[in-house]
Amino acid sequence: MLNPQQCAFHASCNGVVASYRECAWVAKNQEDIEFDAPSDSPYSGASFSIRVTPCGDKKVWTWQTKIYHPLFAAGATICQCLLTRCDNSGCKTVSEVMRDILLLLEKPNYCTKCEQCQINDDAFTEMKTDLAFFVRKARAHTPNTNPPSDEELRGGLSLSNFLPLLTTGAFSDIKLVVDKTVFRCHRTVLAARSPVFRSMFENECDGGTLRLNPAVDPRAVARFLQFVYGSVITARDAVDVSTHISLCSLAREYKVTALHHHHVACLARRLNATNKFVILAAASDMGDALLSRAVALAIAALDAAESTETGTQAQGCGPVARRPSSIARRASLAPY
């Protein structure tokens, strides 16, 4: 837990700025809290602002500044589950709330959520399935107003100039064969992006041809190579679930980590009652622990949503549409 006495934050009320170390929390009409992100968090160097407005016997906390985080967003209110003590003995003090907010900035992977939490679903999924990528994205988006795309963040170095080599096959020195489809490729590019390919080229006499599993869809291999050569990411809704599964399998087999994590996240977000067993079976067949973990989280959220909807209908309130990733346990600070 963070020590609130070491946190750099202050409130301004009616133009008067004071440190919380020196004055008690007094909210007359509304009050702004300004604070710096923890130095060892993904948001190091950024400053944030929260507006606190009295509302009856409670206070509404509204995040004011841009941030990429599962539980906080500019203009969004902070859920009451973060403002209320776990034993329901009342509202937390300002110091207690700020302690917990700073902890969640420093360790976003401590986030869980309740039914009322207004969350960033993409950030929550990335944080649970690919924490390293989430940290890079959080740094890029906070407080940068023109952050790079996910493709650039996942791809690392820009390899867009290599795509014409894949398209034309110019100067190719290796052929990848999938059933009857041939891809004219380049050892240097493949070895640079995949340690598996690099090991194969170092230790095996391939004769200029590598034959991949003929059961793999050549269209999935083409998209896999587009990422290898140009960091081109296949969008979540651009292909069907089976293609995402094929790409996830290829990326895992050849240890293209960024691509593997991307398609794990895509499958978790696209999971529904119709395809959940297909995705779960694929994860089991591949022995993919990361995908199995992401699917288990998504299925638990989906089951909770269905249970909530069933209960609502039983009470005569009609169906309630909920996003699977928005249903989970009460927010807490227990690490995942």
Side-chain angles (χ1 to χ4, degrees):
M1 301 291 281
L2 298 180
N3 183 350
Q5 299 302 318
Q6 298 176 346
C7 302
F9 65 92
H10 61 266
S12 60
C13 185
N14 300 325
V16 178
V17 178
S19 167
Y20 277 113
R21 301 176 193 176
E22 301 170 1
C23 70
W25 165 254
V26 178
K28 296 179 180 178
N29 295 311
Q30 64 183 20
E31 194 158 346
D32 290 335
I33 299 175
E34 298 176 356
F35 59 99
D36 298 324
S39 59
D40 50 356
S41 75
Y43 311 97
S44 177
S47 297
F48 299 111
S49 175
I50 299 174
R51 174 155 294 182
V52 183
T53 309
C55 182
D57 59 346
K58 297 181 179 180
K59 299 180 180 71
V60 176
W61 292 54
T62 306
W63 198 277
Q64 298 291 299
T65 39
K66 182 178 179 182
I67 187 172
Y68 189 77
H69 189 277
L71 298 183
F72 309 130
T77 58
I78 296 176
C79 186
Q80 286 294 320
C81 65
L82 189 60
L83 309 179
T84 307
R85 293 192 175 95
C86 295
D87 59 3
N88 294 318
S89 61
C91 296
K92 296 176 183 176
T93 65
V94 169
S95 292
E96 289 173 331
V97 174
M98 289 305 303
R99 173 201 63 198
D100 292 346
I101 287 175
L102 288 164
L103 175 61
L104 291 173
L105 291 178
E106 182 180 355
K107 299 184 181 298
N109 55 314
Y110 277 34
C111 291
T112 58
K113 55 191 186 299
C114 73
E115 295 182 14
Q116 286 73 43
C117 283
Q118 300 178 11
I119 69 163
N120 182 330
D121 287 323
D122 287 343
F124 190 84
T125 301
E126 289 162 358
M127 179 268 296
K128 289 295 188 185
T129 61
D130 189 356
L131 184 59
F133 173 72
F134 167 81
V135 169
R136 290 200 302 274
K137 191 168 181 178
R139 286 174 177 160
H141 281 245
T142 308
N144 193 347
T145 56
N146 294 300
S149 66
D150 282 9
E151 290 85 349
E152 293 172 307
L153 286 171
R154 288 192 182 277
L157 298 175
S158 174
L159 297 178
S160 58
N161 290 337
F162 291 163
L163 276 174
L165 294 179
L166 176 64
T167 304
T168 64
F171 312 113
S172 66
D173 55 6
I174 188 73
K175 294 178 182 179
L176 298 188
V177 180
V178 186
D179 196 13
K180 297 179 181 179
T181 304
V182 177
F183 298 94
R184 298 166 62 193
C185 300
H186 307 78
R187 285 182 172 86
T188 301
V189 178
L190 297 178
R193 298 304 295 271
S194 164
V196 175
F197 278 126
R198 182 168 62 248
S199 177
M200 292 169 66
F201 297 148
E202 289 175 348
N203 302 315
E204 297 180 16
C205 181
D206 51 59
T209 301
L210 282 179
R211 296 188 178 276
L212 306 186
N213 185 346
V216 177
D217 187 345
R219 292 171 297 181
V221 176
R223 290 181 180 274
F224 170 76
L225 291 173
Q226 286 175 354
F227 178 84
V228 169
Y229 274 76
S231 299
V232 177
I233 289 284
T234 301
R236 180 175 63 193
D237 299 321
V239 296
D240 57 24
V241 167
S242 63
T243 301
H244 280 301
I245 291 173
S246 296
L247 284 164
C248 187
S249 177
L250 280 168
R252 179 177 180 274
E253 180 180 354
Y254 291 98
K255 297 185 179 179
V256 183
T257 304
L259 186 64
H260 176 228
H261 287 175
H262 170 71
H263 287 287
V264 166
C266 287
L267 287 167
R269 289 196 288 261
R270 291 193 60 173
L271 184 140
N272 56 42
T274 303
N275 63 30
K276 64 180 181 180
F277 294 114
V278 173
I279 299 175
L280 188 61
S284 177
D285 291 343
M286 287 188 278
D288 191 331
L290 182 64
L291 181 57
S292 296
R293 176 183 174 187
V295 170
L297 281 169
I299 288 178
L302 185 67
D303 290 345
E306 292 173 348
S307 176
T308 300
E309 182 175 346
T310 301
T312 303
Q313 290 177 347
Q315 296 173 11
C317 299
V320 176
R322 294 183 182 272
R323 300 183 67 177
S325 57
S326 296
I327 307 295
R329 297 181 301 276
R330 176 180 176 83
S332 72
L333 295 179
Y336 177 74

